[in-house]
Amino acid sequence: YGQIFEQIADGSLNVGDKLPSEHEICERFGVSRPVVREALLRLRADGLVTAHQGLGTFVSHQPAPRLKTFSDVQNVGAYLRAQEVRVALEGDAARLAALRRTDDELRKIADAHAAFIEALEHGHVSPEADLAFHASIAQATGNDYYLGVLESIHESISGFMRLTLSLTRTGSRQRAQRVADEHAAILGAIREQDGERARVAMQFHLGQARHRLVDRERD
């Protein structure tokens, strides 16, 4: 998985390129066919390749090349799978937070958002600042299980945030502004106690964060 990911990230394999056959990959890397199939399934689940019946497997997205300088690519798959859990979990958490939040909880969410934006504008935002915003929303649900599940996958969430925030710091100003706008949309829906809009805004934000990681065109 990691070696094929690197070839996609560094441009050895580009969008539209066909991957070698399973047999060729087995021969090249000296691994069994089940290992190759598992790697290809992970690459498909992570949105990097697409399989076409009878034609083969093709590269569908490429991450920014500088991604390789920030973390071990072997961890990217785990980070992306944790992100799938977050879309379902945090989308519903945002909905409940909008419906149940107290004025004090809303103030904590707003303060976490302000701290994140200030750090983003100075170019030194941390995963902790991002996580604080998401955790304050989970707390506002009034259901400790939401925060508990987030804490149980804390390592993967933090790893994902480190990568995406590193890409944001070294990316375009527009990229940073999009992140800020997405957080603001979530906060606005929670402030107005619009549960469905909060859910959609959160799921959109998490989906966009995933796309920004695996698709250099979103840079």
Side-chain angles (χ1 to χ4, degrees):
Y1 173 94
Q3 292 182 75
I4 296 173
F5 183 98
E6 283 197 15
Q7 290 180 19
I8 296 172
D10 67 19
S12 298
L13 289 169
N14 292 298
V15 172
D17 286 350
K18 182 179 178 180
L19 267 62
S21 68
E22 288 185 9
H23 177 72
E24 289 173 316
I25 296 174
C26 289
E27 292 290 321
R28 183 177 302 179
F29 296 109
V31 294
S32 65
R33 184 155 290 190
V35 171
V36 172
R37 287 177 177 168
E38 174 65 20
L40 293 176
L41 283 173
R42 287 179 59 187
L43 289 164
R44 286 171 60 187
D46 295 341
L48 295 165
V49 303
T50 304
H52 296 281
Q53 188 68 33
L55 296 176
T57 301
F58 297 82
V59 178
S60 53
H61 293 98
Q62 276 180 295
R66 66 185 187 281
L67 175 66
K68 290 173 56 183
T69 68
F70 298 131
S71 178
D72 178 5
V73 297
Q74 294 283 359
N75 294 328
V76 173
Y79 297 161
L80 292 172
R81 282 186 286 283
Q83 196 73 354
E84 288 182 350
V85 174
R86 293 182 67 198
V87 169
L89 180 78
E90 293 196 58
D92 202 53
R95 179 184 67 83
L96 291 177
L99 298 175
R100 298 175 178 176
R101 57 86 178 160
T102 64
D103 289 344
D104 184 55
E105 287 167 339
L106 176 62
R107 188 160 43 250
K108 289 179 180 177
I109 297 170
D111 288 347
H113 171 66
F116 176 83
I117 296 303
E118 182 178 2
L120 189 64
E121 289 175 346
H122 288 86
H124 52 69
V125 66
S126 66
E128 288 73 25
D130 196 357
L131 192 57
F133 175 72
H134 288 270
S136 66
I137 292 171
Q139 276 190 312
T141 65
N143 184 332
D144 292 341
Y145 284 104
Y146 282 94
L147 189 57
V149 175
L150 281 184
E151 289 174 348
S152 73
I153 57 174
H154 178 272
E155 184 175 345
S156 290
I157 293 176
S158 294
F160 180 88
M161 288 177 171
R162 278 194 303 273
L163 286 179
T164 55
L165 292 173
S166 293
L167 289 170
T168 295
R169 280 196 300 269
T170 59
S172 67
R173 175 61 192 170
Q174 289 77 13
R175 181 188 180 107
Q177 188 59 52
R178 282 192 289 270
V179 176
D181 290 345
E182 289 163 18
H183 275 206
I186 298 165
L187 173 60
I190 293 174
R191 177 179 285 119
E192 294 172 23
Q193 297 186 292
D194 188 331
E196 187 59 20
R197 185 153 62 90
R199 180 186 67 79
V200 170
M202 177 63 82
Q203 290 183 333
F204 176 77
H205 166 58
L206 295 174
Q208 291 298 103
R210 183 183 183 283
H211 286 308
R212 283 189 287 264
L213 180 61
V214 301
D215 189 353
R216 67 179 63 181
E217 298 302 319
R218 300 292 185 96
D219 197 25

